[in-house]
Amino acid sequence: MNHYQSAICRRPSTNSAQGLTSVDLGVADLQLLMKQHDQYLSALVDLGLEVTLLDALEDFPDSYFTEDVAIVTPEVAVITRPGAIQRRGETKFIENALAKFRDLEVIQNPGTLDGGDVLVVNKHCVVGLSERTNHAGAIQLGGILGGFGYHTDIVNVPEALHFKSSVNFVDQYTLLVTQACYEMDCIAQYRKLVVPQGEEYAANVVWMNDIILMPEGYPGTRRLLEENGYLVREMAVSEISKMDGGLTCLSLRLT
Ligand code: CIR
């Protein structure tokens, strides 16, 4: 069971609509993006989490995607080395907040690693190799977590920005996945629910205590989750999705 007690988030900067994106969904509306971020923070508070809200970083328009700058397990926090050069400077602004909760380790050059490529449940870690995460970064993370008894698998990300754009836990035995990731050997031991074709974005959900936070507007995925007994809460993320982000990206969650 994951029971998150706290989360570290960061307020979006005034230039958030100028962040990196590879999707062609139009320019994000800053006011609406801020509102959607506020609604996300409120959902975490409603679910009982204590939220550390860090100040906006005007030099880093993607810095409210705090998931990418660290991997947090019950034992340790690993500061990443983000694959996008424009995001690399974000890490030093997360260290103090994380050091209050965990001992810190750091991914070193030539490793690159984005938190969005790292899926962890119990003592199993899967790292996706993507445009952001390289083999050296994955090996370093595997070595650090191996010291705490974790087994790490490394896979290629077949589509999308990050591995967790397409694969996420909804309980400790079950993954919500896109069809493209269904056959991966390293997740063969888990039960899998496949999002309907055309709803791939909805695979990015957050299993948050007893609730699944999912993006609004994906009725097939909602039905699939509810038919399988999950309680869902939809969140508006239209502007966040324009910046290639989703619900997992917006927080570092701590048990
Ligand atoms: C980026 O390209 O880095 C941001 N615009 C989006 C990061 C999304 N993060 C995530 O999926 N973990």
Side-chain angles (χ1 to χ4, degrees), residues 7-13 15-23 25 28 30 33-34 36-37 40-41 52-57 60-71 80 82-84 86-91 93-94 98 113-117 132 161-162 164-165 201 204 206 236-253:
I8 301 175
C9 300
R10 185 181 293 288
R11 205 168 270 302
S13 58
N15 56 2
S16 295
Q18 280 86 55
L20 297 169
T21 189
S22 63
V23 294
L25 297 173
L30 182 65
L33 187 150
M34 300 268 191
Q36 292 177 347
H37 190 262
Y40 180 83
L41 299 177
T52 301
L53 181 59
L54 303 174
D55 291 341
L57 295 175
F60 297 101
D62 289 299
S63 55
Y64 61 105
F65 295 117
T66 53
E67 174 180 72
D68 291 320
V69 293
I71 313 305
T80 65
Q86 301 92 308
R87 298 199 59 189
R88 220 160 264 171
E90 293 174 24
T91 54
F93 296 101
I94 203 83
L98 269 174
L113 187 79
D114 275 16
D117 282 319
R132 302 290 178 87
L161 176 64
H162 286 128
K164 282 189 292 194
S165 307
Y201 179 78
N204 186 259
V206 184
V237 286
S238 62
E239 305 316 293
I240 289 152
S241 70
K242 289 176 184 171
M243 303 317 299
D244 237 352
L247 291 165
T248 63
C249 328
L250 296 175
S251 57
L252 276 169
R253 298 165 294 279

